[in-house]
Amino acid sequence: MYRIDRKTYLLLAVLPVLWWTVGTDLVYSEGAAPRKAMEGPPMPVVLEHKGSAAQLDRPLVFFDHDRHTRALKNEKAEDCAVCHLLKEKDQRLTNPDVGVFRFPKAVHDTSDKSSIMYAYHGQCATCHHKLTAEAKPAGPPIGLCGKCHPRRAEFRLTAWAQTPIFDYARHAMHVESVGKMGNPDALNVVRNIQVLGEVEPARKTCLVCHHGYDAKTKRVIYKKDSENSCRACHKAKDEENARAMQKVAHAACIGCHMQVALQAKNTPVAQTQVKAGPFECKGCHGVRKELTPDEIAKLPRLARGQKDVMDLTLPVADDKVGKPEVQPVSTTRMKVVPFNHKGHEPRAKFCNTCHHHSLEKCSNCHPALGDPKKGGGVSFERAFHKAGAAQACVGCHQTAKADRKCAGCHKSMNGEMSKSSCTVCHRGPSGGKLAEIPPMPLTWDKEKVPEKVQIKGLEKEFKPVELPHQKILNKLVTLSNASSLARQFHAAKDQVLCAGCHHHGEPNAANKLPACSACHNRSFDPKALNKPGLMGAYHRQCIGCHGAMRQKPTALDCVKCHASKESVQTAGLIAP
């Protein structure tokens, strides 16, 4: 037998470790050379096409689409057609020759993992080998799986928009750009749109992006004031006469950008008026600053025939419409809601903030008992009152109350809305006009609203607290007057702002509100766990409000409210 000496034993012990650290990096490598610095964080496209298989054999591929786009554009002056199949035939559609931007180009079975794998490998490897043969930068060498399937990916998933953030500003920018083009109709990917009715020349630019489909004539049509959301027809998957939203968005948007870029390329620089849109992912999917209501109000209003004020209620039955002898009777117990549509427009990011699927009347998708196909089973009443839905009135208002200007009072009001809030919206028919709510005055009855309140029932180490009562109330009134939403609801009840601190009192014009000590005892009562003692009530109310509204003094600035007594030591925590 061979005797293994100490050096050989150590070598044999180290070899598996070397294989694990070095050898596996050859299979799951993250790249030998460090990535060059790029502007902003990389935003990869995650490739996880496993067909009908349960899982992938290798880790996910993080494909930096923007990096490839820049490389092809800078090195070879090539566009999307290098990798993507731009057009194909679809006999189901009005225009069979449609844009697809499909990758890979090779025909493959999307339900077969192996077919998808070979299609990707064939196209990616071919390009990399070709660039290598031309002595050009070719990215990672194809053959080492870990170069594309890294065990420890160099990319970090970032919080970027999965759908394009199309807001009022970007819409206005597109309308202006299309209006400068000589023949914008040529940019429409559908072609042969039948225009119905009288449409002004300026409005015909809308058909570049907006169109509808007439199932009877099987024609693509355009009619004034019929512009709708793309998702109204184009769903997540292909349907009859309508392709999936992802296919349409890339084909129409990128296809239009490419045509504009080609026109600009063939036009003298002096005559170029329109800049081509982006080709890279960040150009459309990047996170952008949200517009403020004031910024939106400065943009041209999107006119689609909508009324400035509309009365929201369930529609009257068809057999009663148009019969003078039959008086329309509301099918609900509450009065109709006069909705200020024009006033709400600048406060939404875009039309789909409220019209989340289609620019139709709410009752079309949300009837009285709900429609499981169109409206997800949400009834007409719940569509407006669902607190957890961003598109619902109550849900949107709940979000607005979370703002730090409002949170000081509303943070402690987590229960149901008071009954007096119902009449703020349910006021009856408007006649097309809304009454303006005047701002609250800043004058107070000193008998009911003292200028200062001295809290002296708990002083020990500190002097009594002098609360600037009217100053605090004036601040709340000023914030309320600046918000149209707050002004509407706060005007519904007299002295409603007092409830922010006097939360269990019933404010009215005749009586003074009870003091805090009327409900909160000096010491904590173990039998009433939901009711703190007097000191706890003061601190929780005052410090909680300051924390929610980010006001000073903060929780640790005790001496800002409590002037210390010179004769009392405070254990060194606060200077006497």
Side-chain angles (χ1 to χ4, degrees):
M1 295 178 64
Y2 294 99
R3 183 178 179 182
I4 301 177
D5 58 15
R6 190 173 185 178
K7 292 182 179 179
T8 307
Y9 180 81
L10 291 173
L11 179 61
L12 291 174
V14 170
L15 277 176
V17 178
L18 290 174
W19 161 248
W20 180 253
T21 56
V22 179
T24 54
D25 276 348
L26 295 176
V27 182
Y28 295 100
S29 176
E30 298 182 28
R35 269 173 51 89
K36 294 182 179 179
M38 295 172 56
E39 295 182 2
M43 302 169 66
V45 176
V46 180
L47 304 180
E48 186 185 11
H49 303 295
K50 54 188 177 184
S52 58
Q55 59 184 7
L56 295 172
D57 297 331
R58 292 278 178 179
L60 302 176
V61 174
F62 294 86
F63 179 75
D64 194 341
H65 189 278
D66 288 350
R67 192 180 186 188
H68 281 73
T69 303
R70 286 193 295 270
L72 290 171
K73 184 177 180 180
N74 296 336
E75 296 291 335
K76 305 180 69 174
E78 292 179 326
D79 55 19
C80 309
V82 179
C83 303
H84 294 274
L85 179 66
L86 300 185
K87 289 187 177 183
E88 67 180 7
K89 297 287 184 180
D90 191 339
Q91 299 301 330
R92 301 173 305 158
L93 306 178
T94 305
N95 177 22
D97 191 18
V98 294
V100 289
F101 280 82
R102 194 184 73 210
F103 182 90
K105 292 182 179 180
V107 178
H108 59 279
D109 183 1
T110 55
S111 63
D112 185 358
K113 183 175 69 173
S114 298
S115 177
I116 301 172
M117 180 187 70
Y118 286 122
Y120 270 92
H121 287 180
Q123 188 156 337
C124 297
T126 300
C127 181
H128 282 215
H129 287 317
K130 182 180 178 181
L131 291 173
T132 301
E134 296 174 357
K136 294 182 179 179
I142 302 298
L144 294 176
C145 307
K147 293 295 182 179
C148 295
H149 297 271
R151 184 179 56 182
R152 296 183 297 273
E154 60 182 293
F155 290 112
R156 180 175 58 87
L157 289 179
T158 56
W160 62 298
Q162 295 297 323
T163 55
I165 304 175
F166 203 76
D167 56 17
Y168 287 104
R170 299 182 78 181
H171 187 277
M173 178 185 66
H174 278 76
V175 172
E176 182 182 3
S177 299
V178 172
K180 294 179 181 179
M181 298 178 184
N183 183 23
D185 294 353
L187 301 176
N188 196 304
V189 296
V190 179
R191 307 283 190 272
N192 302 323
I193 295 180
Q194 181 182 5
V195 180
L196 304 179
E198 294 293 330
V199 180
E200 299 90 352
R203 291 292 295 272
K204 284 189 177 181
T205 57
C206 300
L207 60 83
V208 174
C209 300
H210 294 282
H211 55 262
Y213 180 74
D214 189 347
K216 294 181 179 179
T217 61
K218 296 184 178 181
R219 293 286 303 274
V220 178
I221 61 172
Y222 174 78
K223 186 179 180 180
K224 180 184 176 182
D225 295 335
S226 66
E227 298 87 0
N228 210 336
S229 168
C230 304
R231 295 185 184 275
C233 299
H234 301 283
K235 310 298 183 182
K237 297 181 179 179
D238 287 342
E239 296 182 359
E240 186 178 3
N241 300 318
R243 295 186 296 151
M245 180 63 196
Q246 185 182 25
K247 294 181 181 179
V248 171
H250 286 90
C253 300
I254 300 177
C256 178
H257 293 176
M258 291 175 63
Q259 292 186 57
V260 173
L262 184 62
Q263 290 180 8
K265 184 178 180 181
N266 299 329
T267 304
V269 178
Q271 300 178 14
T272 302
Q273 294 181 335
V274 182
K275 294 182 179 180
F279 289 17
E280 299 180 359
C281 302
K282 285 184 181 180
C284 298
H285 294 275
V287 178
R288 299 175 186 273
K289 175 183 174 293
E290 293 184 6
L291 299 176
T292 64
D294 292 336
E295 292 172 334
I296 295 174
K298 295 177 183 179
L299 297 171
R301 186 187 180 194
L302 290 182
R304 191 183 173 273
Q306 70 271 33
K307 298 178 181 179
D308 292 348
V309 180
M310 52 188 69
D311 293 338
L312 299 178
T313 185
L314 285 173
V316 181
D318 293 339
D319 59 346
K320 296 181 181 180
V321 176
K323 296 181 180 181
E325 68 278 6
V326 179
Q327 293 295 327
V329 179
S330 176
T331 57
T332 61
R333 293 177 294 174
M334 299 295 294
K335 293 181 180 180
V336 301
V337 176
F339 179 69
N340 186 356
H341 194 281
K342 184 178 181 180
H344 279 75
E345 288 173 17
R347 288 166 174 77
K349 296 178 183 177
F350 200 51
C351 305
N352 58 1
T353 300
C354 301
H355 299 277
H356 40 125
H357 293 304
S358 176
L359 303 184
E360 303 177 51
K361 293 191 300 183
C362 304
S363 58
N364 288 2
C365 297
H366 301 287
L369 300 179
D371 185 343
K373 293 184 178 180
K374 294 186 67 176
V378 178
S379 66
F380 185 78
E381 182 269 333
R382 294 303 298 157
F384 296 98
H385 295 86
K386 197 173 182 180
Q391 295 87 359
C393 299
V394 173
C396 182
H397 292 175
Q398 289 286 86
T399 303
K401 289 189 295 185
D403 185 85
R404 71 182 183 94
K405 294 180 181 179
C406 309
C409 296
H410 285 284
K411 70 175 182 60
S412 59
M413 300 178 183
N414 296 325
E416 295 183 0
M417 298 175 64
S418 63
K419 293 181 180 179
S420 62
S421 300
C422 301
T423 56
V424 176
C425 299
H426 294 272
R427 286 179 291 174
S430 64
K433 295 182 180 179
L434 287 176
E436 285 291 330
I437 304 297
M440 291 185 184
L442 292 174
T443 56
W444 310 104
D445 183 354
K446 291 187 178 181
E447 291 293 325
K448 297 178 182 178
V449 185
E451 183 178 357
K452 294 182 180 181
V453 175
Q454 194 175 57
I455 304 174
K456 55 183 179 180
L458 297 172
E459 73 274 9
K460 196 171 185 180
E461 292 92 352
F462 303 97
K463 294 179 181 180
V465 173
E466 195 171 74
L467 182 75
H469 190 260
Q470 281 193 12
K471 181 180 179 182
I472 294 173
L473 192 53
N474 287 344
K475 176 71 172 181
L476 296 178
V477 171
T478 303
L479 292 174
S480 177
N481 288 339
S483 169
S484 59
L485 174 64
R487 194 187 302 178
Q488 289 279 344
F489 280 87
H490 293 166
K493 201 170 186 180
D494 187 36
Q495 299 182 23
V496 68
L497 291 179
C498 302
C501 296
H502 303 276
H503 40 258
H504 291 303
E506 188 62 30
N508 55 66
N511 302 318
K512 293 177 64 175
L513 289 167
C516 301
S517 58
C519 297
H520 298 276
N521 300 323
R522 287 179 61 89
S523 59
F524 172 68
D525 184 1
K527 296 180 180 179
L529 298 178
N530 61 337
K531 185 190 295 184
L534 188 56
M535 185 176 71
Y538 280 130
H539 284 145
R540 189 167 71 171
Q541 193 74 11
C542 300
I543 295 173
C545 179
H546 281 213
M549 298 182 70
R550 302 176 195 170
Q551 295 288 319
K552 293 182 179 181
T554 59
L556 299 179
D557 290 338
C558 303
V559 292
K560 297 291 185 180
C561 298
H562 301 274
S564 59
K565 295 180 179 179
E566 297 179 358
S567 60
V568 177
Q569 291 291 337
T570 55
L573 296 177
I574 300 175

